[in-house]
Amino acid sequence: MSYSSKPSTEPCVTTFDEFVQLADYSLMDTLNADPDATVDGDDHRARQVFSGHFVPVTPTPLAEPEYVTHSRTFFKELGLSDELALNEKFRQVFSGDISAAYEPMRQVGWATGYALSIYGTEYTQQCPFGTGNGYGDGRAISVFEGIINGQRWEMQLKGGGPTPYCRGADGRAVLRSSVREFLAQEYMQALGVPTSRSLTLYVSKSETVTRPWYSQDSHSIEPDILVDNPVAISTRVAPSFLRVGQLELFARRARSHAHPRALEELSMIVSYLIEREYKSDINQNLGFAEQLVELAKLFRQRLTSLVANWQRIGYCQGNFNSDNCAAGGFTLDYGPFGFCEIFDPWFQPWTGGGEHFSFFNQPIAAEANYHMFWKSVRPLLAEDTEALEDFDQVRRGFAEAMQKQVQQMWAAKLGLPEFDPKLFTKLMQLMNHSEADYTIFFRELSHIPDDVSALKKSFYIKTSHQLDEQWQSWLKSWRDLVINDGNLAEISTNMKQTNPKYAWREWLIVPAYQQAMQGNYTLVKELQEVLSYPYDEQSQEVEDKYYRLKPKAFSNVGGVSYYSCSS
């Protein structure tokens, strides 16, 4: 199977005025605003939000914003000219000054609430009010929704200042985490993994915030110093930012009869989810109950495929709670994420994540989130016993569907027509014992070598004669299966389109954001370019720099091998 991005379009939007004309605000026009909200969006202090689907809120502009970079790939796909990223009014809006907008754009954005559940357990205690009414977009503010090239997109500022959901924080994002999110979204898109997209990145030349982080070469588990960071705003884009946690919020309100319209608001948000994320896949002539059964099937398919893709490319979503699980089935929220270098099934980049969100546990975390989706939507089917049974049947089939996706993924990584459990189990043991680099190993295997020596560039340890013999035996068994399947050159080509050559390596990202903090964005743009072609053979210079094992100096270093929640 091959992974590639969508075709691009020639730029046709070259001015801010042309961009403004694309605005179309379905969320604010279709759903309910919080009745306690202000009309003008001046709503920046933490408070409880008791009802409504969104809160109108204005972002807080960056002081002296400076352009860092934009996604040329995505701009081209949207038909936006690159010059637009440097347009004064465009820069104003996407660095937080929404007063530059005019009709049909609006001078107010919106933030949404959601509930929190971790591994299928509902939580309220992290909410400052102890009720759960304070959870939501604390520093993410959507400022634009429109139809571009026939597709609806929502544009959201990350780090756009406080909202009612900010729980007392400053609502800002720092340049470090903004660079990481911007590059990660670009990289995931290039890998062919469904994801929110990067649009622009601006930094303030004068505004800073203080955050805990790690001192140079620190081996502390938690941050050990306070660092002044430049404030930045990255804009992420998706068909919607609806999350499983949002459905949960309205289901909880309906369950507790929080207000007279609670069940109606649940029905509205689920209908809206279908409209925004599944309209082209669900027959609109079906009855609502039948549409919900279709929704359950489609979301299951997308979510299981997504998580199998995460494992394919070594990605670990370190905090895969329901509020970080996009109901559209794509990767959302690049906070405590990481990519596996030395193969470890229990790899977890976030110090607060524990094993339950580790690399190989992600299918189980996905099922927990799917369970909360099922539990949230289920009350809407109470009157239709036949549809309810069909809906429950889809839920019962999750684990089997997930297993099937993962096994198909492993077969593709190994160039095999079908999954071989015995071969796979032995491979995992050998990779573990050899401390194999996840990306380099599978890329070298894609050349279909007949001798273990070809794989040794991916090993972090010197292997024993006995281990080499085990590898040689495994290679022979694997090659026999591959050769039986046909054309080796074709299989090798397909494997190289499944197993990327260039991986996200945190120790190569750190210098990029460190230099950016000094006003030098060269390395950010270099990484943007390299990570845009992860399956390709690139220049020898790029290979020497980016296709190599993690240096020992970075082992178990805070902020590189692991980190607290990204800020």
Side-chain angles (χ1 to χ4, degrees):
M1 85 186 57
S2 176
Y3 299 89
S4 60
S5 56
K6 290 181 181 178
S8 300
T9 354
E10 285 306 308
C12 56
V13 178
T14 56
T15 67
F16 184 67
D17 191 56
E18 289 170 332
F19 177 78
V20 164
Q21 301 310 311
L22 301 170
D24 185 278
Y25 292 82
S26 76
L27 186 140
M28 287 202 280
D29 290 345
T30 304
L31 299 180
N32 295 344
D34 165 31
D36 298 328
T38 61
V39 178
D40 62 2
D42 183 12
D43 204 343
H44 302 120
R45 284 184 294 278
R47 64 175 177 85
Q48 295 197 67
V49 180
F50 296 100
S51 68
H53 298 102
F54 67 95
V55 179
V57 62
T58 53
T60 306
L62 291 180
E64 297 184 81
E66 178 174 80
Y67 166 85
V68 177
T69 189
H70 72 284
S71 171
R72 291 178 182 274
T73 307
F74 193 41
F75 264 58
K76 194 172 182 187
E77 193 177 309
L78 295 177
L80 308 180
S81 71
D82 289 322
E83 291 71 35
L84 200 56
L86 301 172
N87 174 284
E88 178 61 22
K89 282 196 174 346
F90 190 89
R91 178 188 60 76
Q92 273 182 266
V93 168
F94 291 102
S95 62
D97 183 4
I98 204 171
S99 69
Y102 49 84
E103 291 291 337
M105 268 189 79
R106 299 177 188 173
Q107 292 192 337
V108 66
W110 65 97
T112 60
Y114 33 80
L116 169 67
S117 69
I118 303 174
Y119 245 62
T121 300
E122 297 180 357
Y123 285 81
T124 56
Q125 60 262 44
Q126 287 94 333
C127 168
F129 314 107
T131 59
N133 292 320
Y135 291 134
D137 295 326
R139 57 177 176 168
I141 301 172
S142 293
V143 295
F144 180 88
E145 191 194 317
I147 298 171
I148 307 174
N149 293 336
Q151 182 170 350
R152 183 174 294 280
W153 293 101
E154 183 174 330
M155 298 182 176
Q156 188 174 79
L157 308 185
K158 183 82 174 278
T163 76
Y165 302 108
C166 65
R167 292 189 265 167
D170 57 28
R172 286 306 199 195
V174 300
L175 186 59
R176 175 188 67 247
S177 62
S178 302
V179 165
R180 289 183 81 241
E181 177 154 330
F182 186 95
L183 290 174
Q185 288 173 152
E186 290 269 87
Y187 179 50
M188 291 287 264
Q189 172 65 18
L191 287 165
V193 180
T195 180
S196 49
R197 304 291 296 275
S198 294
L199 188 75
T200 54
L201 176 57
Y202 298 97
V203 66
S204 171
K205 289 194 282 186
S206 57
E207 186 184 351
T208 61
V209 291
T210 304
R211 293 279 197 269
W213 197 239
Y214 298 90
S215 54
Q216 186 74 31
D217 302 324
S218 169
H219 291 275
S220 169
I221 293 298
E222 294 302 325
D224 54 353
I225 57 169
L226 290 172
V227 180
D228 288 335
N229 296 265
V231 165
I233 290 179
S234 58
T235 296
R236 59 186 182 186
V237 185
S240 84
F241 287 96
L242 297 165
R243 305 150 184 253
V244 170
Q246 267 170 285
L247 306 186
E248 280 187 81
L249 173 66
F250 294 98
R252 288 191 203 180
R253 287 177 179 170
R255 195 171 68 211
S256 66
H257 306 288
H259 59 86
R261 296 188 66 186
L263 188 63
E264 181 191 343
E265 287 199 334
L266 172 62
S267 181
M268 287 173 72
I269 192 83
V270 174
S271 296
Y272 189 66
L273 168 64
I274 292 171
E275 172 69 24
R276 281 291 286 272
E277 296 283 3
Y278 295 92
K279 186 177 181 179
S280 60
D281 297 321
I282 293 178
N283 184 343
Q284 302 300 295
N285 295 322
L286 293 174
F288 187 49
E290 292 168 290
Q291 288 192 34
L292 296 184
V293 175
E294 288 304 303
L295 171 65
K297 290 176 185 172
L298 288 162
F299 180 46
R300 188 183 79 180
Q301 197 281 326
R302 289 190 194 181
L303 186 57
T304 54
S305 172
L306 176 69
V307 173
N309 261 308
W310 285 355
Q311 293 196 326
R312 174 177 67 83
I313 47 98
Y315 174 83
C316 182
Q317 174 78 310
N319 188 20
F320 197 28
N321 299 336
S322 64
D323 60 311
N324 293 334
C325 183
F330 55 86
T331 318
L332 176 67
D333 196 73
Y334 291 88
F337 74 91
F339 284 79
C340 184
E341 289 193 73
I342 300 176
F343 174 67
D344 175 8
W346 307 114
F347 166 67
Q348 162 59 285
W350 181 36
T351 56
E355 274 193 3
H356 53 281
F357 289 132
S358 61
F359 184 32
F360 269 26
N361 263 0
Q362 291 180 112
I364 303 167
E367 182 165 8
N369 290 334
Y370 189 80
H371 179 79
M372 302 314 284
F373 158 83
W374 167 81
K375 184 178 173 183
S376 300
V377 176
R378 206 171 182 274
L380 300 176
L381 289 163
E383 305 300 317
D384 191 328
T385 51
E386 189 179 333
L388 190 60
E389 175 50 37
D390 291 344
F391 189 75
D392 290 350
Q393 189 62 38
V394 180
R395 165 66 189 94
R396 286 192 287 271
F398 187 93
E400 186 182 344
M402 184 76 249
Q403 183 184 45
K404 186 178 177 185
Q405 288 277 8
V406 168
Q407 289 183 351
Q408 284 175 347
M409 176 275 294
W410 283 116
K413 274 186 87 63
L414 290 167
L416 299 174
E418 58 186 41
F419 181 71
D420 185 312
K422 191 175 174 186
L423 191 80
F424 172 76
T425 302
K426 185 61 179 174
L427 173 62
M428 295 296 102
Q429 291 170 351
L430 290 171
M431 287 179 71
N432 224 328
H433 292 153
S434 309
E435 295 186 17
D437 184 277
Y438 190 74
T439 301
I440 296 176
F441 173 82
F442 280 106
R443 186 65 179 202
E444 292 305 311
L445 193 70
S446 301
H447 297 290
I448 316 185
D450 57 9
D451 191 274
V452 65
S453 59
L455 300 174
K456 288 193 173 181
K457 68 158 64 177
S458 72
F459 297 166
Y460 282 86
I461 63 162
K462 186 173 170 53
T463 52
S464 65
H465 178 67
Q466 184 186 12
L467 190 52
D468 284 352
E469 285 185 335
Q470 289 178 42
W471 268 117
Q472 206 57 49
S473 169
W474 182 89
L475 263 180
K476 184 180 184 315
S477 302
W478 170 70
R479 275 179 60 89
D480 286 348
L481 289 173
V482 172
I483 289 165
N484 281 345
D485 193 39
N487 186 320
L488 286 190
E490 193 179 305
I491 292 167
S492 175
T493 299
N494 288 337
M495 286 179 70
K496 287 172 188 170
Q497 286 299 309
T498 303
N499 298 310
K501 177 156 186 169
Y502 293 101
W504 177 283
R505 298 183 183 276
E506 199 68 35
W507 49 279
L508 290 167
I509 307 295
V510 171
Y513 66 64
Q514 287 178 337
Q515 289 177 27
M517 287 166 74
Q518 305 305 315
N520 180 355
Y521 312 128
T522 310
L523 197 47
V524 170
K525 289 169 184 173
E526 181 182 308
L527 277 162
Q528 215 179 325
E529 183 68 17
V530 171
L531 296 177
S532 290
Y533 303 98
Y535 298 104
D536 295 1
E537 295 296 334
Q538 299 189 39
S539 69
Q540 192 60 51
E541 186 184 359
V542 167
E543 180 164 336
D544 291 345
K545 185 174 181 179
Y546 291 101
Y547 188 64
R548 57 193 176 104
L549 298 177
K550 179 180 185 173
K552 283 199 172 92
F554 296 118
S555 294
N556 299 315
V557 171
V560 182
S561 290
Y562 55 83
Y563 19 85
S564 68
C565 219
S566 180
S567 60

